[in-house]
Amino acid sequence: MDKTAYLAHCREELLQVYRLSRQGKEDTPRWYRLEGFIHAGQTLGIISKQEARETIDAAHNDVFGYSRQARDNKQQQLDSLKASDPDKYYSLPAIERLR
């Protein structure tokens, strides 16, 4: 399998996993299989860690509409707010705390 086909397969699987996640239907075994597949590609030298990261980020952005970095930053801000001012944290609508 060449690099282009490998990355295309990874991307398609990522899109499926993220779409299921967005629908609230986590498929943990599929995610672990995909994680192993990506790691195998890195170990065999088919793809680099950077290429894997970019593919994951692009798929996440396509499905959720924001990057994993933006998600992590927002979560850090919410965690900080929860620690410093729990009343203000819980006054935010739950739907905003989940996204």
Side-chain angles (χ1 to χ4, degrees):
M1 181 176 275
D2 67 342
K3 179 186 285 199
T4 305
Y6 198 88
L7 286 172
H9 180 74
C10 289
R11 180 172 171 73
E12 189 56 41
E13 286 295 314
L14 282 161
L15 290 171
Q16 291 299 320
V17 167
Y18 285 146
R19 286 180 188 133
L20 288 171
S21 177
R22 186 175 178 120
Q23 295 170 3
K25 302 175 184 175
E26 298 285 332
D27 188 351
T28 305
R30 188 175 190 171
W31 175 252
Y32 289 148
R33 237 183 347 266
L34 175 58
E35 195 174 54
F37 186 75
I38 291 170
H39 182 71
Q42 293 171 359
T43 302
L44 294 171
I46 298 170
I47 60 172
S48 68
K49 190 171 191 169
Q50 181 64 30
E51 289 169 323
R53 188 176 301 121
E54 289 170 0
T55 302
I56 294 167
D57 288 339
H60 187 279
N61 196 38
D62 287 352
V63 173
F64 295 105
Y66 51 88
S67 69
R68 293 183 313 147
Q69 183 64 37
R71 178 203 60 203
D72 293 345
N73 290 342
K74 183 176 181 182
Q75 190 59 49
Q76 286 176 350
Q77 290 173 346
L78 288 172
D79 290 344
S80 176
L81 180 61
K82 186 177 183 180
S84 66
D85 190 355
D87 292 333
K88 190 171 182 179
Y89 172 81
Y90 286 110
S91 70
L92 291 172
I95 193 76
E96 287 183 25
R97 288 183 268 143
L98 291 175
R99 292 184 183 169

